[in-house]
Amino acid sequence: MKSDNRDVLLIVDVQNDFCPGGALAVPQGDEIVPLVNKIAAGFAHIVVTQDWHPAGHLSFASAHPGRHPFETVELPYGTQVLWPDHCVQGTPGAEFHPDLDVPHAELVLRKGFVATIDSYSALRENDRKTPTGLASYLRERGLARITMVGIATDYCVLYSALDAREAGFEVTVETRACRGLDVDGSLQRALTAMSNAGVTLA
């Protein structure tokens, strides 16, 4: 067990809709679950994020007539990738993968619940201004070193890692316990961006 009380494991979006058979399936997303459980057993402090969209969320392609998933649109806060409807509040797809076994997790942080702003990062909404409150929570508890695992490496893990570094946290991403969408080389770009920001890639 990580005995230093400054260490925390951040498990990002290990939910049914991001696993094979889900609405926004990440290839081999379910394969990380046993390893996530194993890593989690070594941490005293764990935070789990949960994508939690209302129906009709502005990031859904279905909210934009004539548009299709993976196209982009310009929203007030910038360019937004349009996604299939996913992780809708109260649906089976929004639930954690059934084999995720982290009963000692101390916080479940829901994100993406603001209907007009998407949220990849565990620390900030996609407008890059609205905080989720996680940074303050971690600071107040004296948790300064974050290890990240989860889905997707090139979106929610990436933005969470970059925001955590910008907020002054030490960050390690366990890449073997992550999976990415890898659209047009996005996975390698994400790994490069994290490395350049001072994230340790393990």
Side-chain angles (χ1 to χ4, degrees):
M1 176 143 322
K2 289 271 190 180
S3 58
D4 192 320
N5 282 331
R6 299 176 64 227
D7 288 294
V8 60
L9 179 67
L10 180 63
I11 301 174
V12 179
D13 297 359
V14 181
Q15 295 168 255
N16 290 328
D17 267 346
F18 295 132
C19 293
L24 184 49
V26 174
Q28 293 86 49
D30 57 335
E31 292 181 1
I32 69 169
V33 176
L35 182 55
V36 169
N37 290 339
K38 183 177 179 180
I39 293 171
F43 279 81
H45 305 296
I46 298 175
V47 173
V48 184
T49 69
Q50 187 176 23
D51 219 29
W52 195 248
H53 296 303
H57 193 272
L58 199 61
S59 71
F60 294 168
S62 62
H64 303 266
R67 295 298 190 123
H68 302 284
F70 305 105
E71 293 181 354
T72 59
V73 295
E74 293 303 315
L75 296 180
Y77 56 81
T79 303
Q80 172 68 51
V81 177
L82 296 178
W83 304 110
D85 290 26
H86 66 280
C87 296
V88 174
Q89 297 168 1
T91 65
E95 294 174 4
F96 295 117
H97 189 282
D99 294 334
L100 184 66
D101 185 20
V102 287
H104 58 302
E106 297 166 335
L107 176 70
V108 174
L109 180 81
R110 286 175 167 170
K111 58 188 182 65
F113 53 79
V114 178
T116 56
I117 309 174
D118 205 2
S119 185
Y120 300 152
S121 172
L123 286 84
R124 276 192 300 196
E125 307 281 359
N126 280 15
D127 63 1
R128 317 305 299 146
K129 297 182 293 186
T130 305
T132 65
L134 181 59
S136 296
Y137 170 86
L138 296 177
R139 288 194 188 100
E140 189 166 346
R141 298 203 56 209
L143 300 169
R145 289 195 295 255
I146 306 172
T147 298
M148 295 188 187
V149 298
I151 306 170
T153 316
D154 38 355
Y155 284 92
C156 296
V157 173
L158 165 66
Y159 283 91
S160 297
L162 296 180
D163 283 350
R165 283 295 298 137
E166 186 178 324
F169 295 95
E170 296 177 43
V171 181
T172 298
V173 171
E174 287 279 359
T175 56
R176 63 203 172 105
C178 298
R179 290 294 184 273
L181 276 170
D182 200 14
V183 178
D184 296 327
S186 59
L187 181 56
Q188 186 55 55
R189 288 195 299 273
L191 295 173
T192 299
M194 287 190 284
S195 180
N196 288 344
V199 174
T200 299
L201 301 177

